[in-house]
Amino acid sequence: MRTSYKQLSSITNVKIFRFNSSLYYPNKSYFRSSLYQKTGVNPAMVAAKQHKAQSKTKANLGSSDSCFSSRFSFLKPSEKGVQKDPTAAAIPPIDMHTLVIDCGAMQFLDTVGLSVLKEMRHDYKEIVIQVLLANCNPSIRHLLQDGGWESETGNSELAFHSVHDAVQFAESQYQEQQKDSEEIGAAFLDNEVQNISEDPNIETAL
């Protein structure tokens, strides 16, 4: 197992958390604190920082001199190159897109533990991090299924049989999303440039 984890540790932006106990009411707080400490990401704190940064950015954009300057500022070169999206610059970066929870040491999971997992998945989803489970024993998989974990995730996978399978799925999904984002971004930019060139009220002096 150590060899496998050394190989998986090189995967960028995927973090693996192994909880060496069952998850139930008495240790739910310890589970959360251990998770946040090991991953370095507390989703509630990150979400609060993101909301604050977005509000500040919106306020700054609202005080712009003109609608044109705020809409097309990303097309104008600055002294140091192309201007970046101010919202992206203000929001603290997160160095992971997927959290894999290794449930191999969990012997059982009660209803409170299931609620903790659901709440945790929701909190991480708010900051665009997906949560995957791996190495769940049959009893835990049965509880997850009865508790609606699969229907709420929207994925056909209930829980992965191994950490390796979960990481492979995360990497494949992330690469597909990156490709789609690049294609959408390129199409949007082309459309905006075409709109500028066709608008008689805008001088084409970029």
Side-chain angles (χ1 to χ4, degrees):
M1 181 62 70
R2 285 186 177 181
T3 302
S4 299
Y5 270 84
K6 286 182 179 180
Q7 292 174 351
L8 291 171
S9 64
S10 63
I11 302 297
T12 305
N13 298 330
V14 176
K15 292 192 176 182
I16 304 166
F17 174 71
R18 180 181 175 88
F19 190 61
N20 293 314
S21 174
S22 297
L23 179 55
Y24 52 105
Y25 179 78
N27 66 356
K28 62 177 183 177
S29 297
Y30 177 68
F31 172 82
R32 288 183 182 275
S33 60
S34 298
L35 175 63
Y36 300 158
Q37 180 182 10
K38 295 297 183 181
T39 61
V41 178
N42 183 325
M45 294 181 62
V46 172
K49 291 180 180 180
Q50 288 180 341
H51 290 320
K52 183 178 180 180
Q54 289 171 349
S55 298
K56 183 177 180 180
T57 300
K58 289 180 180 179
N60 292 337
L61 291 177
S63 61
S64 299
D65 294 334
S66 66
C67 177
F68 175 81
S69 62
S70 63
R71 183 179 180 187
F72 300 108
S73 58
F74 70 96
L75 294 174
K76 297 180 180 180
S78 62
E79 294 180 358
K80 295 183 179 181
V82 179
Q83 293 180 348
K84 297 182 178 180
D85 181 3
T87 305
I91 296 176
I94 303 175
D95 63 347
M96 72 169 171
H97 57 71
T98 300
L99 169 63
V100 178
I101 298 181
D102 183 356
C103 304
M106 293 185 186
Q107 296 301 314
F108 69 93
L109 183 74
D110 67 3
T111 54
V112 174
L114 176 60
S115 296
V116 170
L117 289 178
K118 286 184 175 183
E119 292 170 3
M120 174 207 60
R121 181 185 60 198
H122 175 270
D123 292 343
Y124 277 104
K125 185 178 180 180
E126 289 292 304
I127 57 173
V128 200
I129 294 176
Q130 70 172 340
V131 175
L132 304 177
L133 304 182
N135 284 338
C136 298
N137 64 39
S139 64
I140 291 180
R141 291 175 65 89
H142 183 72
L143 179 61
L144 291 171
Q145 187 173 16
D146 290 345
W149 177 274
E150 182 178 20
S151 61
E152 292 182 13
T153 59
N155 293 328
S156 58
E157 292 286 351
L158 173 62
F160 293 86
H161 290 286
S162 70
V163 172
H164 184 266
D165 290 343
V167 170
Q168 282 191 323
F169 172 82
E171 283 296 289
S172 175
Q173 189 180 53
Y174 179 72
Q175 290 175 4
E176 290 180 3
Q177 291 174 347
Q178 287 294 99
K179 182 179 179 181
D180 292 342
S181 298
E182 291 175 359
E183 292 176 352
I184 293 173
F188 173 79
L189 183 59
D190 291 342
N191 184 60
E192 290 296 323
V193 172
Q194 182 177 359
N195 289 340
I196 295 174
S197 63
E198 294 177 354
D199 193 334
N201 297 319
I202 299 179
E203 297 181 1
T204 56
L206 297 178

